[in-house]
Amino acid sequence: MTPRQVSPYRPVMPLTAYDLSGRTAFVTGAASGIGRASAVLLAEAGASVHCADRDTQGLHETATLIKAAGGTAHTHYLDVADRAQVEQAVASATAATGRLDIMAAIAGIMHNSPVLETRDEDLDRVLSINFKGVLYACQAAARAMITAATSAAPRGSIITMASGAVDTGGPGLLCYGAAKAAVVQLTKTLATEVGPHGIRVNAVAPGWIRTPMTDRHDSDAQAHTEGLMIRMSPLGRVGEPEDIAHAVLHLASDASAFTTGQILRPNGGVAMPW
Ligand SMILES: NC(=O)c1ccc[n+]([C@@H]2O[C@H](COP(=O)([O-])OP(=O)(O)OC[C@H]3O[C@@H](n4cnc5c(N)ncnc54)[C@H](O)[C@@H]3O)[C@@H](O)[C@H]2O)c1
């Protein structure tokens, strides 16, 4: 019997695979929570980080944190639901170096309403920000990355922010969950289309993370959900923004060079889909 052929390919993957020196990253939702933690960590890993959000004060605070840590930050005030604003900001971010290496499309809003009380305006608002906002960022990034790939080593990582809501139903989650499910479909579809250009596209689907978004729930509902998540998690805790930032860093870096079209679930083990 002929022995099974083992691929001679052995990727050299030292810990420096997490080094993002010389790379340009664009992070939406960078003024708060998961987006802020991700922007700061990408900058600590060496990337020059373009922070985008509609919260000017929060953007300024994130840029200050990055600079205090010795990193490089730029800020872009924008509404992710406005295609022209997203395209303009990504174009200005890539103008200096001619390339974009990392897009983390993290901006999003929570919305809760029972199906029978959901209005067209609820659905439109959530889809505009949580789905179209991610789509516009992905399109602008992929175009910039494809242009760069023709002139230099092909490289690019796009990270979208889904949610544990894609794995479980929950009362009130129609608009939010539908938008996040669309983000997952976008991620998988785009991964198949841009892979040949050396661009990877992956989603992160966090569990319950303590951020200003979850703090906005009324305190009884928040305490109830947190208690439930802590009981459901084998790790016995809820997440912090830094837990998700590390997932973003992994997907942004060469350490995940063979990963595309996937959903990474830093959720404390609350859901374990196949
Ligand atoms: N916190 C969680 O438990 C959790 C769980 C799963 C997924 N997520 C997702 O993670 C992402 C970040 O959530 P977070 O918890 O850090 O929330 P957050 O409210 O702390 O941060 C969201 C950021 O997005 C920005 N933003 C919202 N709408 C915008 C718009 N139209 N244009 C530009 N910026 C806009 C906000 O200004 C804010 O800075 C969201 O996509 C959210 O759905 C969060």
Side-chain angles (χ1 to χ4, degrees), residues 29 31-35 53-55 78-81 106-109 129 161-164 176 180 206-209 211-214 216:
S32 176
I34 293 169
D53 206 288
R54 64 178 175 188
D55 169 2
L78 55 71
D79 179 352
V80 291
I106 297 177
I109 55 168
I129 296 173
M161 200 49 58
S163 161
Y176 184 79
K180 295 300 187 183
W208 181 274
I209 310 300
T211 69
M213 176 183 278
T214 45
R216 271 176 228 123

Side-chain angles (χ1 to χ4, degrees), residues 113-148:
S113 63
V115 173
L116 300 188
E117 289 164 28
T118 297
R119 305 162 306 168
D120 282 357
E121 51 265 45
D122 300 326
L123 194 53
D124 291 346
R125 188 171 64 95
V126 179
L127 287 176
S128 293
I129 296 173
N130 289 9
F131 173 55
K132 285 187 180 175
V134 176
L135 172 65
Y136 300 153
C138 286
Q139 288 177 321
R143 287 192 187 109
M145 288 171 180
I146 288 169
T147 307

